[in-house]
Amino acid sequence: MDLKNKKVLLCVTGSIACYKSVDLYRKLKKEGADVKVILSRAAGEFISPYIFESFGEEAFYDDAFKNPLSHISLSKFADVILIAPATYNTINKFAAGIADTLITLVVAASPEKPKILVPAMNPNMFANKILKNNLNKLSEYNFYAVSPETGNAACGDFGEGRFPEIEDVIFEVESVFSEKKLKGKKVLITAGATREYMDPVRFISNGSSGKMGISLANEAVKQGADVVLIALNIDRASFYINKKVKIINRISFMDFKEALKDEFKKSDILFMSAAVSDYGFKEKSSEKIKKSRTTVAADAGDKKSTVFKAELVQNEDLLKSLSTLRKKGQVIFGFAAETNYLIENGRKKIAEKSLDFIFVNDVSKDVIGSDENEGFLMDNNGGIIKFERQPKKKLARLLILNLH
Ligand code: CTP
């Protein structure tokens, strides 16, 4: 879900992390949100309202008396109120029901609106039970808190309390608008590609990056699920994976299989987007195989060529085996990589592997490793939906919303 036309009221309170609200503001705008900004008096000491105004945005100062009704009009404007950074003082004031500044007045006037707190403060202040109890209390009143990062605070103290990554905050804002289609569900997702090693350095694999599975994992969190992601050789640094996703890293088919079978038992829905190697080496050497030891001279007509021979054995079809173990109500969603006869092959795989759904990727269209994907969603009742090329993040949302 992007934030197109969503109305975000960004309330900035006085923390040393105030300057990060500028990046946050820009990212919200980039995502298509309509943003208004309120700066508390203390925030106005850290950063100038001219920063927001220079982006063409009217920034409201903490002056409730200048326009006595601005807290009402700002409350009416907001689809979501984002307090970032949220100080110790402001959070505790919200919990006590104090309304003595423009920001606390707007919040007081918005009991039904979702309010996101991004606490940022010294670790001792964040650990203070007064704050912890108040955060708990606020969670019952449409407040959602983004967990701060652990690290060195501006004062040099180490601990939890740093302003989180901007992407974590945007994620929380997007979550507020999600349909919560998977609320209470345990979702297992596999992503990436297995590696079948021949010796300690060489392996066969494929170009699957894991982006589709990661997009599904992030979206499933937004939709309210408890998510486990089995990540196969994914370049973690290149992707945003929300902290609520529990990640299990695996490398080869054999150790993947074990983790998958264990986790499958605990899940309600499996999205099997991993690209699993159909074959593994019959023998795996514990030492690096020497070129001289393994080459074979073969007679290829007139020419003599040097070939390497290794025997591959077929791996078990994991989806096929899992579907025989499925409990009542468990949903299995497979993926297929096809270059032609997409629908026919999709139908065949649904039947052979007893799937509830399959997404048939059109891999002739350069989708492997890309940020975009296209193909067909098919179900076991013959239903087919065509999805045009689009970002995997967007597609992930549509696939989840189309579960039935
Ligand atoms: N899959 C699996 N176990 C395997 C191979 C694939 O569980 N040993 C799963 C994949 O994760 C995917 C689905 O089966 O969800 C289809 O995978 P795909 O590579 O499209 O097809 P295959 O079943 O391997 O068949 P083929 O290569 O002949 O198309």
Side-chain angles (χ1 to χ4, degrees):
M1 142 98 44
D2 59 27
L3 295 174
K4 207 159 190 288
N5 300 326
K6 297 286 187 273
K7 295 186 168 54
V8 181
L9 182 61
L10 174 60
C11 301
V12 185
T13 65
S15 145
I16 191 90
C18 271
Y19 69 96
K20 297 198 177 166
S21 63
V22 180
D23 274 350
L24 175 58
Y25 166 83
R26 296 184 67 183
K27 186 77 177 132
L28 287 165
K29 293 291 274 189
K30 207 169 151 207
E31 295 288 315
D34 182 0
V35 190
K36 285 192 192 296
V37 184
I38 309 178
L39 286 181
S40 76
R41 279 182 200 197
E45 298 290 326
F46 284 103
I47 55 168
S48 163
Y50 297 133
I51 298 178
F52 297 105
E53 287 177 356
S54 64
F55 293 126
E57 194 55 56
E58 184 185 1
F60 293 82
Y61 308 95
D62 195 352
D63 189 355
F65 302 102
K66 200 167 153 196
N67 175 356
L69 292 179
S70 55
H71 62 296
I72 304 299
S73 56
L74 287 166
S75 163
K76 285 193 175 141
F77 158 82
D79 293 322
V80 59
I81 300 175
L82 173 59
I83 303 103
T87 60
Y88 179 92
N89 185 39
T90 304
I91 295 169
N92 291 329
K93 273 189 182 182
F94 290 151
I98 294 171
D100 62 348
T101 61
L102 185 55
I103 290 172
T104 50
L105 276 162
V106 171
V107 165
S110 314
E112 300 304 326
K113 305 244 166 158
K115 293 163 286 281
I116 300 170
L117 298 167
V118 185
M121 63 196 71
N122 168 277
N124 290 331
M125 292 168 80
F126 188 68
N128 191 318
K129 285 226 169 90
I130 296 174
L131 182 92
K132 288 265 140 84
N133 291 340
N134 279 336
L135 282 172
N136 267 340
K137 177 176 171 185
L138 289 169
S139 67
E140 291 165 24
Y141 297 97
N142 292 326
F143 284 84
Y144 306 86
V146 184
S147 300
E149 298 272 307
T150 298
N152 282 320
C155 58
D157 284 356
F158 183 85
E160 196 179 3
R162 281 165 58 93
F163 195 92
E165 296 296 325
I166 300 290
E167 275 184 296
D168 286 329
V169 181
I170 298 286
F171 190 91
E172 210 60 44
V173 179
E174 288 175 341
S175 299
V176 157
F177 296 108
S178 81
E179 298 76 0
K180 300 287 177 281
K181 168 106 184 173
L182 300 178
K183 194 158 187 255
K185 298 278 182 210
K186 290 193 183 338
V187 173
L188 174 61
I189 296 165
T190 68
T194 50
R195 284 183 185 176
E196 297 305 297
Y197 278 85
M198 172 172 89
D199 67 11
V201 286
R202 304 182 183 99
F203 59 82
I204 49 170
S205 188
N206 62 73
S208 174
S209 63
K211 272 179 210 162
M212 193 64 232
I214 291 169
S215 303
L216 281 163
N218 285 334
E219 184 59 34
V221 169
K222 284 183 194 158
Q223 294 291 344
D226 261 356
V227 181
V228 174
L229 173 71
I230 305 183
L232 297 164
N233 309 299
I234 281 170
D235 176 13
R236 286 281 300 282
S238 311
F239 305 111
Y240 173 76
I241 307 179
N242 187 262
K243 291 194 187 77
K244 290 177 193 155
V245 175
K246 182 183 164 206
I247 303 174
I248 298 174
N249 290 301
R250 289 294 181 266
I251 296 171
S252 69
F253 174 85
M254 285 314 276
D255 52 17
F256 170 51
K257 171 180 155 177
E258 218 170 289
L260 178 67
K261 290 196 168 166
D262 268 6
E263 291 300 323
F264 179 67
K265 287 182 211 145
K266 303 178 235 164
S267 64
D268 299 309
I269 307 174
L270 165 67
F271 288 95
M272 185 76 165
S273 65
V276 187
S277 183
D278 286 328
Y279 296 93
F281 288 96
K282 190 170 182 189
E283 281 161 27
K284 184 185 161 190
S285 167
S286 56
E287 288 160 21
K288 186 185 169 213
I289 298 171
K290 292 309 235 182
K291 194 161 51 177
S292 53
R293 193 150 60 84
T294 59
T295 53
V296 180
D299 199 352
D302 288 346
K303 285 190 213 142
K304 284 251 176 202
S305 43
T306 304
V307 294
F308 176 85
K309 281 192 178 172
E311 235 179 313
L312 295 170
V313 285
Q314 193 163 26
N315 285 330
E316 174 187 347
D317 188 314
L318 296 174
L319 270 186
K320 208 169 173 174
S321 327
L322 286 180
S323 52
T324 63
L325 304 174
R326 69 142 76 77
K327 289 176 292 189
K328 199 168 172 262
Q330 251 180 329
V331 173
I332 303 185
F333 191 123
F335 284 77
E338 304 294 344
T339 47
N340 49 24
Y341 304 113
L342 272 65
I343 304 231
E344 290 84 337
N345 287 331
R347 263 195 203 118
K348 227 166 115 191
K349 283 182 184 168
I350 284 195
E352 281 172 4
K353 301 179 194 239
S354 307
L355 306 175
D356 298 291
F357 297 94
I358 197 161
F359 185 75
V360 187
N361 297 286
D362 188 350
V363 292
S364 69
K365 303 273 176 58
D366 195 22
V367 295
I368 297 178
S370 160
D371 285 339
E372 296 180 331
N373 200 2
E374 62 184 282
F376 296 91
L377 170 63
M378 303 172 65
D379 68 25
N380 58 4
N381 282 324
I384 301 178
I385 307 175
K386 182 175 197 286
F387 288 95
E388 301 296 345
R389 193 175 182 88
Q390 58 188 300
K392 286 180 177 171
K393 181 178 166 184
K394 221 168 162 180
L395 179 63
R397 177 164 176 270
L398 295 175
L399 294 184
I400 288 176
L401 291 183
N402 276 290
L403 291 177
H404 51 83

